[in-house]
Amino acid sequence: MFGIIFDPVLAMNQKSANMKNLIFIAILICLFNAGNAQTKLQGIMIEKAGGFHLGDTVTILGYKASTGQADAQFLIKKGLDYKPINFSKIKLLSENIDFWDNIWFNNRSSEIITGGWDTKIRADLRNDATEFISNLSKNNLIFKDELMEDYLYQLVHKIAPRKLNKETECNYTVIIMKANEVNIFSFDNGTIILTTGLLCDLHSEQELSSRIAGEIAKLVLDYNVLNVKQQILKQHATDFWVGFSEVASSALMSYSNVKYHTNYTGDDALIMTAASAIISGFVIESIGAKNTQEQLQKSNDIINTYMNSIYDKWNHKSNQEFIGIAANVISFMAWQQFYSSNYKYCIELINRLESAGIPSEENYLLKSKIYRLIYNTDEANYEALECIKRAKSLGLNKLIDLEKEEGLLYLRIGNKEKAKQSFHQYKTGLEEMQAKGENNTDELHWVTSTIYNNGLL
């Protein structure tokens, strides 16, 4: 809980005297009726004003900051009207208000009370969120990793333990999207989309928490709704999702979690390319998630205030623990970079896992492939073989692809005896998989031909 209802971003432009008064009186504010979607405050009249008498208990629904010569005011409902009353005439009860309720109350409450919730726009944005997630799922663009997902939800609940102040009840939802782009954006209903590219670009829990806090700030400040309202011509929902499907359809293909006993295929690279195209601007702008420089500056100021005042009170994961949680995402992205021929970044990702002491057989296999593809020196060939040796020593999984890679390397350096041994082990592994129902006829044909053509019978 954050005990002062004082928005430092808003206050920067207020007179010093007003700032002091606001801080002083704000210490007394409490959250009223926490079960409702909207933040409400309670106070007692200390002067007669707006038809209320001295000693009356009032429910405060909104706040208008001081502007020019006008004092800050609270909006209080009386009958069908909302009465603006200077906050100096009200004594607020108790204290402790959630950090994000504080931001919402200072920035959005007055406009919501006087102008309404923009019901139609919010309904459209909720439908957009549903359609977007449905299309991601249909096109295999959601990255599933329960450990990473659970970790993200833990962070979200730590950062924002209360529900959003919205017209309808909104819980936070976190989706990891397969995409090379480093991006995070959100829908008005609390759905936060993080890309695999973003998760691999971050190196610590603090960096990730800051990015999540930034999206929560934008949601609390209603940027999606405000931006859509400002659009002169908003893309019609039907046209929007037709466009989405046309782009995403190129990613719709048969996909197996286990193909020749590795977890990644070249098909993923095509999926990632399509995903990046989807979020490259059209989607984000349509849902109001493309922010102005002024909006970004304000949300950044709020992030800095949050990280400096609240974040440090947590118990945090170490950087090594963070990499351990993100390991599957990093491995996945390494394969995407490999199939996209971005070998430098691929090696960087694998090195991060090695530095953390958690490389897998697949990581070493991938590193060996890169050495074989971009070099043909004795040093590189033997370093690639060393990667295969390290992979086999782990003994975590029986990864038969290692035998194929090893066979290719031994052929390259002219050691046919060891190449023969590796390829025959690879062929045996494929036959065992085929006996269990795996369709790998093409690969069996390749290894059989390779053995025969190179005199390895």
Side-chain angles (χ1 to χ4, degrees):
M1 302 297 285
F2 193 67
I4 300 178
I5 180 168
F6 174 59
D7 182 349
V9 181
L10 180 66
M12 287 189 293
N13 298 320
Q14 295 181 339
K15 295 179 179 180
S16 176
N18 285 337
M19 288 170 55
K20 291 178 181 178
N21 288 337
L22 182 57
I23 294 172
F24 174 76
I25 198 72
I27 293 175
L28 301 174
I29 295 180
C30 70
L31 186 66
F32 177 77
N33 196 5
N36 286 357
Q38 180 187 330
T39 299
K40 302 175 184 178
L41 311 174
Q42 236 182 9
I44 295 176
M45 299 298 301
I46 56 177
E47 291 185 35
K48 183 178 179 181
F52 295 99
H53 298 91
L54 180 67
D56 283 353
T57 299
V58 293
T59 299
I60 304 162
L61 300 178
Y63 168 78
K64 295 177 66 176
S66 59
T67 55
Q69 298 300 315
D71 292 333
Q73 296 175 321
F74 289 122
L75 295 178
I76 301 175
K77 189 170 185 180
K78 186 172 180 63
L80 299 177
D81 299 322
Y82 293 96
K83 302 289 185 180
I85 299 175
N86 288 358
F87 73 75
S88 61
K89 299 180 184 296
I90 301 173
K91 179 180 180 180
L92 297 159
L93 302 178
S94 190
E95 57 183 81
N96 290 336
I97 183 168
D98 178 80
F99 178 89
W100 300 107
D101 284 330
N102 170 21
I103 299 298
W104 182 88
F105 193 81
N106 275 282
N107 292 277
R108 295 296 297 140
S109 60
S110 176
E111 185 173 340
I112 294 297
I113 293 303
T114 57
W117 284 96
D118 295 302
T119 300
K120 177 62 168 62
I121 292 176
R122 292 181 193 274
D124 286 344
L125 291 175
R126 286 196 299 273
N127 290 336
D128 284 351
T130 301
E131 282 292 321
F132 187 80
I133 295 172
S134 174
N135 276 278
L136 290 185
S137 178
K138 180 175 65 176
N139 292 287
N140 191 37
L141 292 171
I142 296 178
F143 183 84
K144 302 299 293 181
D145 181 342
E146 291 192 20
L147 177 63
M148 189 72 217
E149 291 168 10
D150 182 68
Y151 175 60
L152 289 171
Y153 275 103
Q154 288 183 58
L155 289 182
V156 168
H157 291 316
K158 283 182 178 179
I159 296 169
R162 280 178 40 80
K163 296 176 182 178
L164 280 162
N165 281 297
K166 299 290 182 181
E167 180 186 20
T168 58
E169 185 175 288
C170 291
N171 293 299
Y172 291 100
T173 301
V174 184
I175 302 290
I176 304 172
M177 178 179 179
K178 294 178 182 177
N180 287 323
E181 282 188 280
V182 176
N183 216 333
I184 179 172
F185 59 97
S186 54
F187 290 83
D188 181 66
N189 69 342
T191 299
I192 299 174
I193 309 292
L194 305 93
T195 64
T196 48
L198 171 76
L199 292 173
C200 289
D201 191 60
L202 303 175
H203 291 77
S204 69
E205 181 173 278
Q206 183 175 12
E207 291 180 358
L208 177 56
S209 298
S210 178
R211 297 302 295 267
I212 292 174
E215 285 310 304
I216 291 173
K218 295 169 188 175
L219 287 168
V220 170
L221 292 169
D222 270 342
Y223 282 169
N224 298 68
V225 173
L226 295 175
N227 290 340
V228 169
K229 287 175 68 175
Q230 291 297 317
Q231 292 177 18
I232 298 174
L233 293 174
K234 183 178 185 296
Q235 178 70 32
H236 189 273
T238 301
D239 296 336
F240 170 72
W241 292 114
V242 167
F244 180 106
S245 296
E246 287 176 352
V247 176
S249 63
S250 63
L252 185 58
M253 58 190 69
S254 60
Y255 172 80
S256 172
N257 285 329
V258 180
K259 187 172 184 179
Y260 307 137
H261 229 268
T262 62
N263 291 329
Y264 311 95
T265 74
D267 292 348
D268 283 328
L270 297 177
I271 292 175
M272 302 288 278
T273 301
S276 295
I278 291 167
I279 66 172
S280 61
F282 181 62
V283 170
I284 292 174
E285 186 167 0
S286 180
I287 66 172
K290 185 176 182 180
N291 303 121
T292 65
Q293 286 301 313
E294 182 181 358
Q295 289 174 336
L296 291 173
Q297 183 59 55
K298 185 161 189 173
S299 61
N300 285 338
D301 290 337
I302 291 173
I303 293 169
N304 291 333
T305 301
Y306 179 86
M307 297 300 289
N308 292 331
S309 62
I310 295 180
Y311 176 80
D312 287 340
K313 298 177 183 178
W314 297 0
N315 292 320
H316 304 297
K317 302 286 187 187
S318 68
N319 290 354
Q320 184 164 346
E321 288 174 321
F322 176 80
I323 293 175
I325 293 171
N328 287 339
V329 181
I330 295 173
S331 292
F332 177 80
M333 277 296 294
W335 281 94
Q336 309 322 308
Q337 299 308 310
F338 171 76
Y339 284 117
S340 299
S341 301
N342 189 356
Y343 301 134
K344 181 179 178 181
Y345 186 42
C346 179
I347 290 291
E348 288 177 8
L349 292 172
I350 296 171
N351 287 344
R352 283 177 63 187
L353 295 172
E354 284 193 88
S355 296
I358 52 172
S360 68
E361 288 103 324
E362 288 170 336
N363 301 146
Y364 282 127
L365 170 64
L366 188 49
K367 200 169 187 177
S368 175
K369 283 178 176 287
I370 293 174
Y371 281 135
R372 181 170 56 80
L373 290 175
I374 65 178
Y375 303 112
N376 187 22
T377 64
D378 288 342
E379 182 181 3
N381 290 333
Y382 282 106
E383 180 59 34
L385 281 168
E386 182 62 27
C387 288
I388 299 298
K389 181 179 178 181
R390 291 174 195 157
K392 288 185 174 182
S393 70
L394 292 176
L396 297 175
N397 297 292
K398 185 181 179 183
L399 190 61
I400 66 169
D401 297 64
L402 293 171
E403 306 297 344
K404 177 182 179 180
E405 182 66 20
E406 188 177 53
L408 289 169
L409 286 165
Y410 278 130
L411 267 186
R412 172 177 282 195
I413 64 177
N415 191 334
K416 284 195 169 186
E417 187 59 36
K418 288 193 174 181
K420 174 181 176 180
Q421 179 181 349
S422 296
F423 281 130
H424 277 277
Q425 288 177 344
Y426 182 54
K427 183 173 182 288
T428 298
L430 290 174
E431 290 170 341
E432 290 175 353
M433 292 170 65
Q434 190 174 67
K436 296 177 180 178
E438 180 88 19
N439 182 12
N440 53 21
T441 302
D442 289 345
E443 195 69 7
L444 265 173
H445 176 73
W446 176 87
V447 71
T448 301
S449 298
T450 299
I451 291 171
Y452 177 78
N453 293 337
N454 289 275
L456 305 177
L457 295 171

